[in-house]
């Protein structure tokens, strides 16, 4: 295993709860999300090297809750080892990500990646994309399955005709469509295929077979997201023959080490996606994306416009609080 040589090391462990309000609440088929809550963890080794990790769960996606993650952190000893970290159970995937990332934390770098800018649900998207376009974004993701379908199809017409020819649009239903609604959307997307990259999680997680059927019936590619929230689910969908796109959110997926093993073994078409993490989780997730994105798909990390800019000393300040 990659970091076995560190197995004798003991780390001083501490953590802090941290929360940020979204500038615009995130509205999806799962409901309204106002505040991002997370836990920042810190490890210090015997040579005083400091490394960081971030636990940013999304329980409606199937990860642990913030409460479960906090309970886990509280019961850990003040000094921990690699053994303890590698034994974090699979029902705490956001914790697995945070602690393993902290173990192998690398120096902050700029990655050679392209980014997809996230648009809010509904009409908001219409006056959001222009700003992002000026910042250099060429790929956008718009949330659907939130309002009445005819209303959304109307907004879609406005959005798709206003987007420049070279722009690409992803639609994300968060599992909120019925089979018939998914067909309407797919028909629509097939008409604008030059501007549509894919439609993400049209149906609920328990409708795998139906999504396979839809992906065989339409030109537009389907991407699984909620269906493959963790390694176990990814393995199941892969075994059942899914060869469309796989959206991976490293922040809640679980062990990055095992994710790497899977991606190196199987050539899957993957899109990396944010969980609205801070720069700590973002750095670790983008590191993985840079290593594992075999294709040229934009990463879904164009989400900074949903947060107020962070003070440069926020981490320092956070560690002064109790
Ligand atoms: O993937 C992206 O482009 C942005 C991130 C995103 O959409 C998202 C962020 C948090 C929770 C769920 C989702 C989602 O893809 O459904
Ligand atoms: Mg999604």
């Amino acid at each position: 295993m990659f970091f076995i040589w560190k197995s004798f090391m003991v780390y001083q462990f501490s953590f802090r709860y941290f929360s940020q309000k979204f500038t615009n609440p995130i509205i999806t088929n799962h409901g309204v999300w106002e505040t991002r809550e997370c836990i920042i963890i810190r490890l210090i080794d015997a040579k005083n090297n400091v490394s960081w990790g971030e636990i940013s769960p999304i329980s409606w996606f199937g990860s642990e809750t913030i409460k479960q993650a906090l309970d886990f952190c509280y019961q850990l000893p003040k000094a921990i080892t690699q053994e303890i970290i590698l034994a974090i159970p699979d029902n705490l995937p956001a914790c697995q990500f945070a602690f393993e990332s902290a173990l192998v934390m690398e120096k902050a770098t700029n990655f050679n990646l392209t980014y997809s800018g996230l648009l809010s649900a509904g009409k908001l998207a219409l006056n959001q994309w222009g700003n992002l376009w000026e910042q250099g974004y060429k790929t956008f993701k718009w949330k659907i399955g939130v309002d009445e379908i005819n209303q959304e199809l109307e907004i879609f017409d406005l959005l798709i005709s206003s987007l420049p020819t070279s722009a690409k649009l992803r639609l994300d239903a968060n599992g909120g469509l019925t089979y018939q609604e998914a067909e309407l959307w797919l028909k629509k997307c097939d008409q604008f295929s030059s501007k549509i990259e894919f439609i993400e999680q049209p149906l609920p997680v328990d409708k795998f077979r139906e999504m396979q059927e839809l992906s065989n019936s339409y030109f537009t590619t389907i991407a699984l997201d909620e269906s493959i929230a963790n390694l176990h689910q990814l393995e199941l969908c892969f075994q059942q023959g899914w060869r469309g796109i796989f959206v991976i959110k490293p922040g809640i997926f679980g062990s990055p080490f095992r994710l790497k093993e899977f991606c190196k073994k199987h050539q899957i078409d993957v899109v990396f996606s944010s969980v609205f993490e801070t720069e700590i989780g973002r750095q670790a997730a983008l590191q993985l994306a840079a290593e594992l994105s075999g294709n040229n798909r934009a990463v879904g990390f164009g989400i900074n416009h949903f947060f107020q800019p962070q003070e440069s000393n926020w981490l320092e300040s956070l560690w002064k609080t109790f």
Side-chain angles (χ1 to χ4, degrees), residues 15-21 35-40 54-57 66 70 276-280 307-311 314-315 317-319 321:
F15 65 97
R16 292 289 185 276
Y17 169 87
F18 182 67
S19 73
Q20 286 175 280
K21 228 174 137 61
T35 308
R36 198 337 144 212
E37 297 181 282
C38 72
I39 303 163
I40 306 292
E54 175 175 347
I55 309 170
S56 269
I66 189 80
L70 275 170
F276 298 115
E277 53 281 268
T278 72
E279 66 187 71
I280 302 293
F307 290 121
Q308 231 62 261
Q310 208 66 258
E311 302 280 341
W314 71 279
L315 259 185
S317 317
L318 189 61
W319 248 258
T321 64

Side-chain angles (χ1 to χ4, degrees), residues 178-227:
T178 64
Y179 193 90
Q180 286 72 22
E181 287 172 338
E183 287 201 294
L184 285 178
W185 275 110
L186 283 160
K187 266 181 210 142
K188 192 70 150 176
C189 289
D190 280 2
Q191 286 166 23
F192 295 96
S193 58
S194 65
K195 278 186 186 172
I196 299 291
E197 189 183 5
F198 58 77
I199 177 160
E200 187 169 319
Q201 197 73 38
L203 305 181
V205 172
D206 62 358
K207 298 282 186 288
F208 179 80
R209 195 186 51 76
E210 288 84 347
M211 285 191 279
Q212 245 172 351
E213 198 174 286
L214 288 171
S215 77
N216 293 331
S217 312
Y218 294 88
F219 176 81
T220 302
T221 308
I222 295 178
L224 296 184
D225 187 14
E226 279 87 339
S227 290

Side-chain angles (χ1 to χ4, degrees), residues 61 141 143 172 174 200-201 225-226 247 249:
F61 232 85
K141 177 155 108 178
K143 295 288 184 186
D172 188 359
N174 285 105
E200 187 169 319
Q201 197 73 38
D225 187 14
E226 279 87 339
V247 177
K249 294 178 160 53

